[in-house]
Amino acid sequence: MWSDLAPVGRSASSGGYFRQPFASAERELAAWFVEQAEARGLRLESDATGNVVAWWDAGAGAGVLTGSHLDSVLDGGAYDGPLGVVSALAAVDALRARGFAPQRPLGVSVFVEEEGSRFGLACLGSRLASGALTWSAAAGLRDRDGVALADVVEGGGPALLEGVGAFVELHVEQGRDLVDRDAPVGVASEIWPHGRYRFDFAGEANHAGTTRMADRRDPMLTYAMTALAANKQARLADQRATFGRLEVTPNGTNAVPSHVTAWLDARCSSEAALASLVDAVTRQAAERAGRDGTTLTVTPESVSGAVAFGLDLGLDVPVIPTAAGHDAGILAAAGIPTAMLFVRNPSGVSHSPAETAEPADCLAGVEALADVLERLAS
Ligand code: HGY
Ligand code: MN
Ligand code: MN
Ligand code: MN
Protein backbone atom coordinates (compact mmCIF):
# COMPACT_ATOMS: atom_id res chain seq x y z
CA MET A 1 0.00 0.00 0.00
CA TRP A 2 2.64 2.47 1.01
CA SER A 3 4.95 1.86 -1.96
CA ASP A 4 2.34 2.78 -4.53
CA LEU A 5 1.51 5.93 -2.57
CA ALA A 6 4.98 7.24 -2.01
CA PRO A 7 5.04 11.01 -2.35
CA VAL A 8 5.05 11.46 -6.06
CA GLY A 9 8.02 12.84 -7.83
CA ARG A 10 8.55 15.94 -5.74
CA SER A 11 12.20 16.32 -5.10
CA ALA A 12 14.99 18.76 -5.61
CA SER A 13 15.61 17.16 -9.00
CA SER A 14 12.31 18.57 -10.23
CA GLY A 15 13.44 21.97 -8.98
CA GLY A 16 11.39 21.29 -5.86
CA TYR A 17 9.54 24.49 -6.56
CA PHE A 18 5.96 24.47 -7.70
CA ARG A 19 4.94 27.91 -8.82
CA GLN A 20 1.58 27.86 -7.21
CA PRO A 21 -1.01 27.75 -8.40
CA PHE A 22 -1.02 25.70 -11.52
CA ALA A 23 2.58 25.47 -12.51
CA SER A 24 3.28 22.41 -14.65
CA ALA A 25 4.80 20.33 -11.83
CA GLU A 26 1.96 21.33 -9.49
CA ARG A 27 -0.54 20.45 -12.16
CA GLU A 28 1.05 16.99 -12.35
CA LEU A 29 0.67 16.55 -8.60
CA ALA A 30 -2.90 17.84 -8.64
CA ALA A 31 -3.69 15.50 -11.56
CA TRP A 32 -2.15 12.62 -9.62
CA PHE A 33 -4.34 13.44 -6.62
CA VAL A 34 -7.50 13.58 -8.75
CA GLU A 35 -6.58 10.22 -10.31
CA GLN A 36 -6.04 8.65 -6.89
CA ALA A 37 -9.29 10.09 -5.56
CA GLU A 38 -11.30 8.92 -8.55
CA ALA A 39 -9.72 5.47 -8.31
CA ARG A 40 -11.22 5.30 -4.80
CA GLY A 41 -14.62 6.48 -5.89
CA LEU A 42 -14.29 9.71 -3.86
CA ARG A 43 -16.44 12.67 -4.96
CA LEU A 44 -14.24 15.58 -5.99
CA GLU A 45 -15.14 19.17 -5.17
CA SER A 46 -12.97 22.16 -6.03
CA ASP A 47 -13.31 25.89 -5.52
CA ALA A 48 -12.18 28.43 -8.09
CA THR A 49 -8.86 29.00 -6.31
CA GLY A 50 -7.89 25.39 -6.86
CA ASN A 51 -8.47 23.96 -3.38
CA VAL A 52 -9.81 20.41 -3.69
CA VAL A 53 -11.72 18.07 -1.38
CA ALA A 54 -12.31 14.41 -2.27
CA TRP A 55 -15.35 13.22 -0.29
CA TRP A 56 -16.13 9.71 0.92
CA ASP A 57 -19.84 10.46 1.12
CA ALA A 58 -21.41 8.64 4.02
CA GLY A 59 -23.85 9.16 6.82
CA ALA A 60 -24.91 12.68 7.70
CA GLY A 61 -23.85 15.57 9.85
CA ALA A 62 -20.63 17.54 10.09
CA GLY A 63 -17.88 16.25 7.81
CA VAL A 64 -14.46 15.11 8.97
CA LEU A 65 -11.61 16.43 6.84
CA THR A 66 -7.98 15.37 6.60
CA GLY A 67 -5.23 16.44 4.20
CA SER A 68 -2.45 18.94 3.60
CA HIS A 69 -0.78 20.67 0.60
CA LEU A 70 1.20 19.70 -2.50
CA ASP A 71 3.11 22.90 -3.16
CA SER A 72 6.66 23.48 -1.97
CA VAL A 73 9.24 26.06 -1.12
CA LEU A 74 12.09 26.54 -3.58
CA ASP A 75 14.11 23.30 -3.52
CA GLY A 76 11.97 21.90 -0.73
CA GLY A 77 11.85 18.33 0.46
CA ALA A 78 9.62 15.50 -0.72
CA TYR A 79 7.46 15.19 2.40
CA ASP A 80 6.38 18.67 3.58
CA GLY A 81 2.81 18.61 2.33
CA PRO A 82 2.56 15.48 0.18
CA LEU A 83 3.05 13.17 3.16
CA GLY A 84 -0.20 14.51 4.63
CA VAL A 85 -2.09 14.08 1.36
CA VAL A 86 -0.72 10.62 0.61
CA SER A 87 -1.32 9.49 4.21
CA ALA A 88 -4.92 10.72 4.04
CA LEU A 89 -5.54 8.58 0.95
CA ALA A 90 -3.76 5.65 2.60
CA ALA A 91 -5.90 6.11 5.73
CA VAL A 92 -9.05 5.85 3.59
CA ASP A 93 -7.65 2.58 2.22
CA ALA A 94 -6.86 1.36 5.74
CA LEU A 95 -10.37 2.19 7.00
CA ARG A 96 -11.92 0.36 4.08
CA ALA A 97 -9.62 -2.63 4.69
CA ARG A 98 -10.92 -2.63 8.29
CA GLY A 99 -14.49 -2.70 6.95
CA PHE A 100 -15.20 0.66 8.61
CA ALA A 101 -18.38 2.43 7.52
CA PRO A 102 -18.23 6.14 8.37
CA GLN A 103 -21.33 7.68 9.94
CA ARG A 104 -20.47 11.10 8.58
CA PRO A 105 -18.79 12.40 5.39
CA LEU A 106 -15.01 11.93 5.37
CA GLY A 107 -12.98 14.17 3.07
CA VAL A 108 -9.38 14.37 1.84
CA SER A 109 -8.32 17.97 1.19
CA VAL A 110 -5.53 19.70 -0.74
CA PHE A 111 -5.13 23.43 -0.13
CA VAL A 112 -3.15 25.45 -2.68
CA GLU A 113 -0.22 27.80 -2.09
CA GLU A 114 0.39 26.75 1.51
CA GLU A 115 4.02 27.90 1.31
CA GLY A 116 3.16 31.23 -0.26
CA SER A 117 6.08 30.58 -2.61
CA ARG A 118 4.44 32.31 -5.55
CA PHE A 119 2.14 35.04 -4.23
CA GLY A 120 3.99 35.68 -0.98
CA LEU A 121 1.18 34.85 1.44
CA ALA A 122 1.48 31.53 3.31
CA CYS A 123 -1.66 29.37 3.46
CA LEU A 124 -3.31 31.42 0.72
CA GLY A 125 -5.68 28.61 -0.27
CA SER A 126 -6.86 27.73 3.22
CA ARG A 127 -7.17 31.41 4.16
CA LEU A 128 -9.53 31.92 1.22
CA ALA A 129 -11.40 28.65 1.85
CA SER A 130 -11.90 29.45 5.56
CA GLY A 131 -12.89 33.08 4.99
CA ALA A 132 -9.82 34.31 6.88
CA LEU A 133 -8.96 36.21 3.68
CA THR A 134 -11.46 37.78 1.28
CA TRP A 135 -11.09 37.35 -2.48
CA SER A 136 -10.98 41.11 -2.91
CA ALA A 137 -7.98 41.29 -0.56
CA ALA A 138 -6.22 38.41 -2.35
CA ALA A 139 -6.99 39.10 -6.02
CA GLY A 140 -4.28 41.73 -6.35
CA LEU A 141 -1.45 39.62 -4.86
CA ARG A 142 1.33 39.46 -7.45
CA ASP A 143 4.09 36.93 -8.09
CA ARG A 144 7.70 37.80 -8.86
CA ASP A 145 6.83 38.37 -12.51
CA GLY A 146 4.05 40.78 -11.60
CA VAL A 147 1.28 38.29 -12.48
CA ALA A 148 -1.77 38.91 -10.27
CA LEU A 149 -3.63 36.06 -8.59
CA ALA A 150 -6.80 37.26 -10.31
CA ASP A 151 -5.01 36.72 -13.65
CA VAL A 152 -4.56 33.03 -12.76
CA VAL A 153 -7.76 32.06 -10.95
CA GLU A 154 -11.22 33.57 -10.53
CA GLY A 155 -11.65 33.04 -6.83
CA GLY A 156 -14.96 32.12 -5.23
CA GLY A 157 -16.61 28.80 -5.98
CA PRO A 158 -18.25 26.43 -3.52
CA ALA A 159 -17.52 26.95 0.17
CA LEU A 160 -15.58 23.71 0.56
CA LEU A 161 -15.41 23.93 4.35
CA GLU A 162 -19.14 24.47 4.93
CA GLY A 163 -20.35 21.78 7.30
CA VAL A 164 -16.86 20.59 8.23
CA GLY A 165 -16.82 19.64 11.91
CA ALA A 166 -13.18 18.58 12.33
CA PHE A 167 -9.87 18.80 10.46
CA VAL A 168 -6.78 16.65 11.07
CA GLU A 169 -3.53 17.36 9.20
CA LEU A 170 -0.73 14.79 9.18
CA HIS A 171 2.66 16.38 8.49
CA VAL A 172 6.30 15.38 8.51
CA GLU A 173 7.86 16.84 11.65
CA GLN A 174 10.00 19.89 10.85
CA GLY A 175 12.41 19.42 13.72
CA ARG A 176 13.91 16.76 15.99
CA ASP A 177 11.49 16.41 18.92
CA LEU A 178 10.26 12.97 17.87
CA VAL A 179 13.82 11.84 17.10
CA ASP A 180 14.93 12.96 20.56
CA ARG A 181 11.96 11.17 22.13
CA ASP A 182 12.44 8.09 19.94
CA ALA A 183 8.78 8.24 18.88
CA PRO A 184 7.46 7.63 15.33
CA VAL A 185 4.36 9.77 15.74
CA GLY A 186 3.36 12.81 17.80
CA VAL A 187 0.62 15.43 17.97
CA ALA A 188 0.95 19.22 17.88
CA SER A 189 -0.03 21.27 20.89
CA GLU A 190 0.23 24.66 19.21
CA ILE A 191 1.61 26.72 16.33
CA TRP A 192 3.80 29.68 17.26
CA PRO A 193 2.81 33.18 16.16
CA HIS A 194 4.66 34.14 13.01
CA GLY A 195 4.92 37.01 10.59
CA ARG A 196 6.49 38.09 7.29
CA TYR A 197 7.77 41.67 6.97
CA ARG A 198 9.15 43.43 3.88
CA PHE A 199 12.19 45.66 4.59
CA ASP A 200 12.91 48.22 1.82
CA PHE A 201 16.36 49.85 2.13
CA ALA A 202 17.10 52.76 -0.22
CA GLY A 203 20.47 54.47 -0.79
CA GLU A 204 22.42 55.87 -3.70
CA ALA A 205 23.58 53.84 -6.69
CA ASN A 206 27.22 54.51 -7.47
CA HIS A 207 30.40 53.12 -9.00
CA ALA A 208 32.05 50.27 -7.07
CA GLY A 209 35.52 51.50 -7.99
CA THR A 210 35.48 55.25 -7.92
CA THR A 211 33.21 55.85 -4.91
CA ARG A 212 35.15 56.16 -1.63
CA MET A 213 33.65 54.10 1.24
CA ALA A 214 33.00 57.27 3.29
CA ASP A 215 31.00 58.78 0.41
CA ARG A 216 28.62 55.89 -0.01
CA ARG A 217 24.94 55.58 0.98
CA ASP A 218 24.91 51.81 0.61
CA PRO A 219 21.60 50.00 1.41
CA MET A 220 23.39 46.64 1.32
CA LEU A 221 25.41 47.72 4.37
CA THR A 222 22.25 48.73 6.24
CA TYR A 223 20.61 45.43 5.27
CA ALA A 224 23.65 43.42 6.38
CA MET A 225 23.74 45.11 9.79
CA THR A 226 19.98 44.55 10.10
CA ALA A 227 20.34 40.83 9.39
CA LEU A 228 23.09 40.66 12.01
CA ALA A 229 20.91 42.52 14.53
CA ALA A 230 17.96 40.20 13.85
CA ASN A 231 20.12 37.13 14.35
CA LYS A 232 21.47 38.46 17.65
CA GLN A 233 18.03 39.55 18.87
CA ALA A 234 16.41 36.17 18.13
CA ARG A 235 19.17 34.27 19.93
CA LEU A 236 18.52 36.23 23.14
CA ALA A 237 15.28 34.34 23.86
CA ASP A 238 15.39 31.32 21.51
CA GLN A 239 13.08 33.01 18.97
CA ARG A 240 13.42 32.74 15.18
CA ALA A 241 14.37 35.46 12.69
CA THR A 242 15.24 34.68 9.08
CA PHE A 243 16.12 36.84 6.10
CA GLY A 244 15.90 34.20 3.38
CA ARG A 245 14.88 36.29 0.40
CA LEU A 246 16.68 39.32 -1.01
CA GLU A 247 16.21 41.52 -4.07
CA VAL A 248 19.03 43.92 -5.00
CA THR A 249 18.75 46.76 -7.51
CA PRO A 250 20.53 46.97 -9.90
CA ASN A 251 22.18 43.73 -8.69
CA GLY A 252 25.49 44.37 -10.47
CA THR A 253 28.91 43.25 -9.29
CA ASN A 254 30.45 46.66 -9.89
CA ALA A 255 27.63 48.91 -8.69
CA VAL A 256 26.78 50.10 -5.20
CA PRO A 257 23.07 49.19 -5.01
CA SER A 258 20.37 51.84 -5.03
CA HIS A 259 17.82 49.54 -3.33
CA VAL A 260 17.80 46.35 -1.32
CA THR A 261 14.54 44.61 -0.43
CA ALA A 262 14.68 41.85 2.17
CA TRP A 263 11.89 39.77 3.73
CA LEU A 264 12.01 38.95 7.44
CA ASP A 265 10.30 35.74 8.57
CA ALA A 266 9.89 35.96 12.36
CA ARG A 267 8.47 33.29 14.68
CA CYS A 268 8.17 33.55 18.46
CA SER A 269 6.67 31.55 21.29
CA SER A 270 4.15 34.32 22.06
CA GLU A 271 2.51 37.23 20.25
CA ALA A 272 4.12 39.69 22.67
CA ALA A 273 7.56 38.20 21.97
CA LEU A 274 6.94 38.46 18.22
CA ALA A 275 5.96 42.11 18.49
CA SER A 276 8.98 42.97 20.62
CA LEU A 277 11.39 41.04 18.36
CA VAL A 278 10.17 42.83 15.22
CA ASP A 279 10.16 46.20 17.03
CA ALA A 280 13.75 45.69 18.19
CA VAL A 281 14.94 44.70 14.72
CA THR A 282 13.08 47.61 13.10
CA ARG A 283 14.49 50.08 15.63
CA GLN A 284 18.07 48.87 15.10
CA ALA A 285 17.62 48.92 11.33
CA ALA A 286 16.36 52.52 11.45
CA GLU A 287 19.28 53.58 13.64
CA ARG A 288 21.70 51.97 11.20
CA ALA A 289 19.97 53.62 8.24
CA GLY A 290 20.50 56.97 9.97
CA ARG A 291 24.24 56.26 10.22
CA ASP A 292 24.50 55.03 6.60
CA GLY A 293 22.51 57.87 5.04
CA THR A 294 19.99 55.34 3.73
CA THR A 295 16.23 55.09 4.28
CA LEU A 296 14.11 52.20 5.53
CA THR A 297 10.46 51.23 5.07
CA VAL A 298 9.07 48.17 6.89
CA THR A 299 5.76 46.66 5.66
CA PRO A 300 4.11 43.76 7.54
CA GLU A 301 2.91 41.31 4.83
CA SER A 302 1.24 38.64 6.96
CA VAL A 303 1.06 38.12 10.70
CA SER A 304 -0.54 35.02 12.26
CA GLY A 305 -1.33 34.78 15.96
CA ALA A 306 -0.77 31.84 18.27
CA VAL A 307 -2.89 28.75 17.59
CA ALA A 308 -3.64 26.12 20.23
CA PHE A 309 -5.11 22.85 18.95
CA GLY A 310 -8.23 21.91 20.90
CA LEU A 311 -9.22 18.68 19.19
CA ASP A 312 -8.15 15.77 21.42
CA LEU A 313 -7.07 12.82 19.26
CA GLY A 314 -6.98 10.40 22.17
CA LEU A 315 -3.53 9.11 21.21
CA ASP A 316 -0.86 8.25 23.75
CA VAL A 317 1.98 9.97 21.85
CA PRO A 318 4.28 12.96 22.53
CA VAL A 319 2.61 16.39 22.36
CA ILE A 320 4.94 18.98 20.81
CA PRO A 321 4.69 22.66 19.77
CA THR A 322 5.71 23.76 16.32
CA ALA A 323 7.07 27.02 14.92
CA ALA A 324 6.03 25.97 11.41
CA GLY A 325 2.83 27.37 9.95
CA HIS A 326 0.19 25.04 8.55
CA ASP A 327 -3.24 25.09 6.96
CA ALA A 328 -4.37 23.43 10.18
CA GLY A 329 -3.50 26.68 11.97
CA ILE A 330 -5.74 28.65 9.62
CA LEU A 331 -8.68 26.28 10.04
CA ALA A 332 -8.24 26.20 13.83
CA ALA A 333 -8.20 30.01 13.90
CA ALA A 334 -11.42 29.93 11.83
CA GLY A 335 -13.08 27.92 14.60
CA ILE A 336 -12.96 24.42 13.09
CA PRO A 337 -11.93 21.83 15.74
CA THR A 338 -8.47 20.92 14.44
CA ALA A 339 -5.47 18.76 15.27
CA MET A 340 -2.11 17.87 13.74
CA LEU A 341 -0.28 14.54 13.67
CA PHE A 342 3.50 14.58 13.17
CA VAL A 343 5.62 11.81 11.66
CA ARG A 344 9.27 11.50 12.73
CA ASN A 345 11.86 13.11 10.44
CA PRO A 346 15.24 11.47 11.17
CA SER A 347 17.14 14.42 9.71
CA GLY A 348 15.02 16.97 11.55
CA VAL A 349 15.66 19.15 8.49
CA SER A 350 12.82 20.65 6.40
CA HIS A 351 12.41 23.13 3.54
CA SER A 352 15.36 21.25 2.07
CA PRO A 353 15.92 18.06 0.03
CA ALA A 354 17.47 16.64 3.25
CA GLU A 355 13.96 16.27 4.73
CA THR A 356 13.26 12.57 5.34
CA ALA A 357 10.75 10.13 6.80
CA GLU A 358 11.18 6.38 7.14
CA PRO A 359 8.50 4.13 5.51
CA ALA A 360 7.86 2.38 8.85
CA ASP A 361 7.19 5.74 10.53
CA CYS A 362 5.01 6.83 7.61
CA LEU A 363 2.95 3.67 8.02
CA ALA A 364 2.68 4.32 11.76
CA GLY A 365 1.37 7.76 10.85
CA VAL A 366 -1.22 6.28 8.50
CA GLU A 367 -2.42 3.84 11.17
CA ALA A 368 -2.66 6.62 13.76
CA LEU A 369 -4.55 8.82 11.29
CA ALA A 370 -6.91 5.96 10.44
CA ASP A 371 -7.57 5.40 14.17
CA VAL A 372 -8.32 9.09 14.64
CA LEU A 373 -10.60 9.29 11.59
CA GLU A 374 -12.43 6.13 12.68
CA ARG A 375 -13.13 7.74 16.05
CA LEU A 376 -14.15 11.12 14.58
CA ALA A 377 -16.34 9.71 11.79
CA SER A 378 -18.13 7.09 13.88
O1 HGY B 1 6.59 28.50 6.62
C1 HGY B 1 6.05 27.58 7.23
O2 HGY B 1 6.15 27.50 8.43
C2 HGY B 1 5.26 26.55 6.50
O3 HGY B 1 6.13 25.59 6.02
N1 HGY B 1 4.48 27.13 5.44
MN1 MN C 1 6.60 24.10 4.56
MN1 MN D 1 3.78 22.10 5.13
MN1 MN E 1 32.12 51.52 -15.90
Side-chain angles (χ1 to χ4, degrees), residues 130-359:
S130 65
L133 177 72
T134 61
W135 173 249
S136 57
L141 289 172
R142 291 188 181 278
D143 70 9
R144 301 181 193 198
D145 302 328
V147 175
L149 180 65
D151 298 342
V152 183
V153 291
E154 297 91 57
L160 296 179
L161 298 180
E162 215 151 76
V164 168
F167 177 63
V168 182
E169 179 169 4
L170 181 145
H171 205 282
V172 65
E173 189 197 348
Q174 294 164 303
R176 294 185 49 83
D177 273 327
L178 292 178
V179 174
D180 297 343
R181 298 170 189 230
D182 192 22
V185 171
V187 296
S189 55
E190 63 190 275
I191 293 181
W192 278 19
H194 59 118
R196 292 185 183 190
Y197 308 81
R198 178 183 162 128
F199 278 61
D200 284 294
F201 302 91
E204 179 185 51
N206 216 324
H207 195 296
T210 56
T211 314
R212 293 179 335 121
M213 300 312 281
D215 298 337
R216 294 179 184 206
R217 292 194 293 116
D218 184 352
M220 186 64 91
L221 175 60
T222 314
Y223 156 70
M225 298 309 279
T226 301
L228 185 61
N231 194 288
K232 283 182 176 169
Q233 193 70 35
R235 285 170 188 273
L236 293 177
D238 189 24
Q239 311 294 354
R240 312 283 191 275
T242 310
F243 279 106
R245 181 184 168 195
L246 203 58
E247 285 178 2
V248 183
T249 307
N251 208 20
T253 307
N254 59 348
V256 177
S258 59
H259 292 82
V260 171
T261 298
W263 280 264
L264 171 65
D265 177 310
R267 322 266 177 125
C268 294
S269 48
S270 73
E271 290 169 19
L274 179 64
S276 85
L277 170 68
V278 177
D279 287 349
V281 173
T282 303
R283 191 176 59 254
Q284 293 175 61
E287 278 160 17
R288 186 69 213 192
R291 285 173 55 182
D292 299 339
T294 55
T295 61
L296 167 65
T297 311
V298 180
T299 314
E301 292 198 333
S302 70
V303 183
S304 300
V307 168
F309 290 117
L311 181 63
D312 176 16
L313 297 185
L315 297 175
D316 180 18
V317 296
V319 180
I320 49 182
T322 181
H326 296 281
D327 293 317
I330 302 298
L331 270 63
I336 295 176
T338 298
M340 286 197 78
L341 268 173
F342 287 136
V343 169
R344 176 167 43 193
N345 170 350
S347 71
V349 174
S350 183
H351 285 186
S352 152
E355 182 182 76
T356 54
E358 295 299 326

Side-chain angles (χ1 to χ4, degrees), residues 55-75:
W55 287 105
W56 178 357
D57 286 319
V64 176
L65 205 54
T66 181
S68 192
H69 61 96
L70 292 173
D71 65 306
S72 168
V73 295
L74 279 156
D75 283 350

Side-chain angles (χ1 to χ4, degrees), residues 108-132:
V108 177
S109 60
V110 175
F111 293 112
V112 294
E113 186 76 343
E114 189 274 348
E115 298 292 1
S117 298
R118 181 170 180 183
F119 291 98
L121 179 60
C123 301
L124 175 60
S126 54
R127 289 176 196 265
L128 284 168
S130 65

